[in-house]
Amino acid sequence: LPDRKLLQETILPDVIDYATAYEPILTAIKKEYDEFIAAVKTNDRKAKLARGKLKALVTQPTSLMYCLKFEESLNPEALDEHLKFFKQKRADLLSKKKSQYVPAQVKRELVIKMKSTLNQRDELGLENNKLQLRWCCGFVIHRFSDLFEAGEYEAAAYHAAKSPHGVLRNMETMERFKCTFLSHVLFWKLPPALLFFQALTISVQPGKRLPGEVLSLEGVRCALQHGYIQLVTFWVTQHRLTYSEELGDVICSHGAEDPRVADTCLALAHIVYTACGVLRKAALSMCRRGLISGAFEFIYKSRDFTVGETRHITGCPSLDLMQDFTQLYEGKPALLSVGFICHSLLKSDLEDLAFQLLEKIYKTILNDVMCSAESWSEIATRCEQRGWHQLAQKIISILLSQPGAVCLSQEQDSVELMEHVFM
């Protein structure tokens, strides 16, 4: 756009002179434009003037205030008034300092005193709780003794099982019930000790176990001693006890003494052993129940089962299980070799089982990496000594077929004269 002044003074007059036919109209337009420009300039001057007056008005109070202050500074009466004001202010501050402020040392001492008081309060609170607990426990024990002395053993058992803070849930209470049974309560439907232990297992909250291995072990012993295998079954399967290897051993021993409940006891022992991580005994309990395939699968799928633990399983007299150990399982290599198993069986006085296994799979001798040639020679000697002459000869012939194997001498009663020289 052209400059406004240029448009007003030069261009518009030239246009009017050139277009004479439109001169009246253009002249009217120019006049109106000139008036508009003049009005804008006038408003602009008025605005500048107003801003100047406003600025002067804003600064006037400050200037007046400073003028008044310079005037007061030369007025003795005004100066006296200011002096009185500051003296009063000083007096107020000194009074406030004395009444509301203390030295930092005083504050530190108060903090130490407060901490000491709080510690004393906590100690007194603990002492008070101990006294209340002692009074409560004393009342509970007194009530238990009353019930016990009155012969109300079931009520006493449940009272002890639910005692606060476990004051009566211990072996001392268990021994007291056991002694009572031994002395004169022979007619009771359940022995008092079992009443107490049953009450303990009932009082255990869902998802939790009875605390203490010793108490669990004693309760199970007592139940088995009096033939209450159904109670033990409930406690074990419902996870009410604290499991331990010794608990599994007690249940296993009871099954060995009472053939009527042998299978049940082995099943319960398997649960206990597995929960405790005693995998060797867990597998053995399955073998003794005749669950050979299950035991073999359990061993293979248990990551923590070591070769050393597998060796102890060879003490279970099962030809099928021993043979399974030497076979592939789901593409995995065999757990043990034939020689390793036979050597272990011979040391466990299970010679017949070793010979039976050898008769089935003696041809695997050459591929055995877990049993040395000397051990195989020892196995052959034992076969010969126990009358398994043909089996002994087969083993010897396989050993002699290896390169570098030499038979130094041979007698009718002994074939343990082998020497192997590996090239």
Side-chain angles (χ1 to χ4, degrees):
L1 290 177
D3 183 76
R4 184 177 62 184
K5 186 175 181 180
L6 179 64
L7 178 65
Q8 181 182 4
E9 297 179 353
T10 305
I11 297 177
L12 284 177
D14 292 343
V15 172
I16 293 172
D17 292 341
Y18 177 76
T20 56
Y22 299 98
E23 183 177 354
I25 297 174
L26 292 174
T27 302
I29 293 174
K30 180 178 180 299
K31 181 181 180 182
E32 184 178 353
Y33 182 77
D34 291 341
E35 291 175 352
F36 175 75
I37 294 299
V40 170
K41 289 181 177 179
T42 302
N43 291 334
D44 188 49
R45 284 194 298 271
K46 290 181 179 180
K48 289 182 178 179
L49 182 60
R51 284 197 294 271
K53 290 181 178 180
L54 179 62
K55 186 175 181 181
L57 290 173
V58 169
T59 58
Q60 185 177 1
T62 306
S63 301
L64 181 61
M65 181 183 67
Y66 281 117
C67 289
L68 290 175
K69 284 189 175 181
F70 284 123
E71 184 179 354
E72 287 180 355
S73 64
L74 300 175
N75 187 349
E77 294 180 358
L79 292 175
D80 288 339
E81 290 294 328
H82 280 294
L83 181 60
K84 290 179 181 179
F85 172 79
F86 286 121
K87 284 183 177 181
Q88 183 62 41
K89 191 72 174 177
R90 179 175 178 275
D92 293 341
L93 289 174
L94 291 174
S95 175
K96 189 176 181 181
K97 179 181 178 182
K98 291 180 180 178
S99 61
Q100 299 184 13
Y101 295 90
V102 295
Q105 179 63 28
V106 176
K107 182 181 177 181
R108 287 193 290 269
E109 292 175 357
L110 288 175
V111 170
I112 295 173
K113 186 176 181 181
M114 181 184 68
K115 289 182 178 179
S116 176
T117 303
L118 290 175
N119 290 335
Q120 187 178 7
R121 183 200 63 181
D122 294 339
E123 291 175 0
L124 291 174
L126 290 174
E127 187 65 25
N128 182 53
N129 291 337
K130 289 179 181 179
L131 291 174
Q132 289 182 356
L133 179 61
R134 189 179 303 171
W135 179 86
C136 179
C137 292
F139 175 79
V140 170
I141 295 172
H142 181 72
R143 176 60 179 163
F144 169 75
S145 298
D146 289 344
L147 292 171
F148 196 88
E149 297 299 331
E152 299 180 19
Y153 299 111
E154 187 170 5
Y158 280 96
H159 181 78
K162 296 180 180 179
S163 60
H165 304 282
V167 65
L168 291 172
R169 294 195 296 269
N170 49 47
M171 278 301 299
E172 288 77 10
T173 307
M174 185 71 167
E175 292 295 335
R176 187 170 181 181
F177 275 109
K178 285 173 64 177
C179 293
T180 300
F181 173 78
L182 293 175
S183 60
H184 61 276
V185 191
L186 300 177
F187 59 91
W188 197 258
K189 58 180 180 180
L190 268 182
L194 272 184
L195 281 174
F196 172 59
F197 194 75
Q198 187 179 29
L200 286 177
T201 58
I202 293 174
S203 66
V204 174
Q205 296 180 1
K208 295 187 177 181
R209 303 173 187 268
L210 187 67
E213 294 182 5
V214 177
L215 196 57
S216 294
L217 187 63
E218 192 60 35
V220 170
R221 275 201 183 108
C222 186
L224 293 176
Q225 179 183 354
H226 296 95
Y228 290 97
I229 187 65
Q230 68 277 13
L231 287 179
V232 179
T233 301
F234 177 79
W235 297 335
V236 173
T237 56
Q238 297 302 312
H239 307 285
R240 298 297 180 88
L241 307 174
T242 299
Y243 297 147
S244 63
E245 183 178 358
E246 189 175 1
L247 178 62
D249 293 343
V250 168
I251 297 175
C252 264
S253 298
H254 182 77
E257 295 172 1
D258 189 351
R260 296 172 300 175
V261 295
D263 190 73
T264 301
C265 289
L266 287 172
L268 297 177
H270 175 76
I271 296 174
V272 175
Y273 288 140
T274 304
C276 295
V278 189
L279 304 181
R280 174 175 58 86
K281 291 186 177 181
L284 275 173
S285 63
M286 295 182 72
C287 293
R288 289 168 182 164
R289 295 180 66 198
L291 304 176
I292 303 303
S293 298
F296 180 68
E297 185 176 358
F298 174 79
I299 292 170
Y300 250 105
K301 291 185 176 180
S302 298
R303 296 180 179 180
D304 298 330
F305 219 101
T306 64
V307 174
E309 290 175 323
T310 307
R311 177 179 179 179
H312 290 286
I313 305 299
T314 58
C316 180
S318 171
L319 181 61
D320 292 336
L321 180 61
M322 298 302 105
Q323 190 170 356
D324 286 341
F325 280 153
T326 65
Q327 307 297 322
L328 295 175
Y329 178 76
E330 296 183 353
K332 298 179 181 179
L335 283 175
L336 301 174
S337 70
V338 177
F340 185 87
I341 293 175
C342 291
H343 205 256
S344 299
L345 291 173
L346 292 177
K347 290 182 177 180
S348 304
D349 295 328
L350 295 172
E351 296 174 342
D352 290 339
L353 185 61
F355 300 149
Q356 293 172 25
L357 179 63
L358 283 172
E359 270 195 323
K360 281 193 172 185
I361 48 179
Y362 67 88
K363 292 182 180 180
T364 61
I365 293 174
L366 291 177
N367 299 323
D368 196 337
V369 296
M370 299 182 70
C371 186
S372 65
E374 288 75 14
S375 296
W376 274 112
S377 178
E378 184 181 342
I379 293 172
T381 301
R382 189 69 66 86
C383 291
E384 182 71 24
Q385 292 174 350
R386 295 296 183 268
W388 294 72
H389 305 294
Q390 188 175 1
L391 179 59
Q393 291 300 323
K394 289 178 179 179
I395 295 173
I396 292 298
S397 64
I398 292 174
L399 291 175
L400 288 173
S401 67
Q402 298 183 75
V406 180
C407 182
L408 299 180
S409 63
Q410 186 173 7
E411 299 177 2
Q412 184 175 0
D413 296 333
S414 175
V415 281
E416 92 177 300
L417 299 173
M418 296 289 300
E419 181 179 275
H420 291 74
V421 180
F422 297 96
M423 305 302 292

